[in-house]
Amino acid sequence: MTDLPEHRPSAEDEPISREPYQWLGLTLITPSLLFISLLFLLPLGMTVWMSLHSWPLLGTPRFIGGENFVELFGDGRFWRSIRFTVLYTVLVTSALFLVAFPLALLVDKPLRIAGLFRTIYFMPVVIGFGAAATLWTWLLNPDNGVFAELLLRAGIVDSAPRPTESFWPALLVVILMVVWKQAGFTMVILLTGLQSVSDDVIEAAKIDGAGPISRFFRVTLPLMRNAIILALVLNVTWSMLAFDQFFVITQGGPRNSTVTAVFSIYLESFSSYRLGYGSAMSMVLLIILVAISATQMAILNFRNTQE
């Protein structure tokens, strides 16, 4: 009987140790974990802790449990600021889409100067909200502002307009400023959605006899849904957190009618020096934002499931 040769395990048969790769992955994500812990989790924990205290700017904090939240539910000024913030969010988000979508369609055309248009439309995005609001405050100045001078010279008005002294004109000029500043960013997001639509799909729709309008609403729009949802989530979140533009341009006026939710938190925390109550307001605003974002994501997942 012939003896079988002894099987010697080769290098390929040896189990691969994944431990070095696990340590490498942990090392790579450690900076991100530290960044998130220091700049998000720690402030969030501090905000929750402060919301349970009577926390004056100077003096010793005192634990009061949920009294701040009980007072908050009866605070008419805070809920008025929430209603105004929701109104502003609906108007400015609609205006941004109405302006950014045509711009995205325009710069998506195969033109030689399309890159120049993209740069021009995107340039205001790099300006900070505080600087942009200060610029528009100067432009709107009734005494030496550019807008007042142009309207007077054109004979459209008899006296210099003062838009910040009435509610709707004040809200309108803030929306105009935000659209001027942010439309370029929304345009870029929508443009990536447009460019992700395959030419083969469009050609197939043409062969099937679909016209330009039918192709846009039945093919292009459904395929760029993820880009639309991303732009919607970002714009809604930023609008719900609006502060700089109202703080600089309207300063909450006229008669506190343009005080947003974040503006209200700022006034309570740094004008009334009630840091604990301001933290409770921040927690309520965070819950509202999470609910809105979760609803938007649930709608997106529901549509994906339907397909």
Side-chain angles (χ1 to χ4, degrees):
M1 182 176 182
T2 307
D3 295 335
L4 293 174
E6 182 181 357
H7 175 72
R8 295 182 178 179
S10 62
E12 296 178 353
D13 296 333
E14 295 180 355
I16 299 175
S17 175
R18 297 185 181 277
E19 187 174 354
Y21 299 100
Q22 292 174 349
W23 280 108
L24 177 62
L26 184 61
T27 304
L28 291 175
I29 66 172
T30 296
S32 298
L33 290 175
L34 290 175
F35 186 81
I36 294 173
S37 300
L38 290 175
L39 298 183
F40 179 73
L41 295 180
L42 181 60
L44 178 63
M46 281 295 298
T47 304
V48 174
W49 179 249
M50 293 174 68
S51 68
L52 302 175
H53 288 72
S54 173
W55 199 300
L57 185 62
L58 300 175
T60 304
R62 181 171 55 88
F63 182 79
I64 57 174
E67 289 185 16
N68 282 329
F69 293 96
V70 173
E71 181 183 349
L72 185 58
F73 283 113
D75 190 344
R77 291 178 301 176
F78 176 69
W79 296 111
R80 278 196 297 274
S81 70
I82 290 288
R83 287 196 293 271
F84 171 72
T85 305
V86 172
L87 171 66
Y88 164 74
T89 299
V90 171
L91 293 178
V92 77
T93 302
S94 303
L96 280 169
F97 271 82
L98 287 175
V99 173
F101 226 121
L103 291 180
L105 292 172
L106 175 64
V107 298
D108 190 42
K109 300 291 183 185
L111 302 174
R112 288 185 178 180
I113 56 175
L116 176 63
F117 281 124
R118 292 176 196 171
T119 304
I120 292 174
Y121 297 145
F122 191 79
M123 281 179 68
V125 177
V126 301
I127 304 174
F129 256 115
T134 303
L135 171 65
W136 274 68
T137 301
W138 173 72
L139 293 173
L140 295 167
N141 190 305
D143 299 323
N144 53 15
V146 174
F147 290 157
E149 187 69 20
L150 290 176
L151 292 174
L152 287 171
R153 289 192 179 188
I156 299 175
V157 295
D158 296 328
S159 59
R162 299 176 182 275
T164 57
E165 295 182 356
S166 302
F167 174 73
W168 286 107
L171 179 58
L172 178 62
V173 295
V174 172
I175 290 174
L176 286 175
M177 188 278 289
V178 174
V179 169
W180 167 77
K181 184 189 175 315
Q182 288 296 104
F185 185 81
T186 306
M187 175 199 74
V188 170
I189 296 176
L190 297 176
L191 181 63
T192 58
L194 281 171
Q195 293 180 343
S196 67
V197 179
S198 171
D199 293 337
D200 296 337
V201 176
I202 300 298
E203 288 299 324
K206 288 181 181 178
I207 294 173
D208 289 340
I213 297 177
S214 179
R215 289 199 303 271
F216 179 73
F217 285 102
R218 294 178 178 272
V219 179
T220 304
L221 269 184
L223 290 177
M224 59 182 298
R225 185 181 60 246
N226 289 339
I228 294 174
I229 291 293
L230 175 61
L232 183 64
V233 170
L234 290 177
N235 282 315
V236 167
T237 303
W238 289 338
S239 302
M240 288 294 293
L241 298 175
F243 172 72
D244 307 56
Q245 53 270 47
F246 290 100
F247 182 77
V248 175
I249 295 178
T250 69
Q251 298 178 354
R255 296 182 297 279
N256 295 327
S257 59
T258 58
V259 173
T260 61
V262 176
F263 201 160
S264 181
I265 294 170
Y266 167 82
L267 292 175
E268 203 63 45
S269 300
F270 301 107
S271 292
S272 302
Y273 303 119
R274 300 180 65 194
L275 300 182
Y277 190 65
S279 300
M281 297 166 76
S282 301
M283 292 307 301
V284 172
L285 180 60
L286 175 64
I287 292 171
I288 294 173
L289 271 176
V290 170
I292 293 174
S293 298
T295 303
Q296 291 171 327
M297 297 309 297
I299 293 173
L300 174 63
N301 292 330
F302 176 75
R303 294 288 180 85
N304 286 333
T305 305
Q306 292 296 308
E307 293 178 357

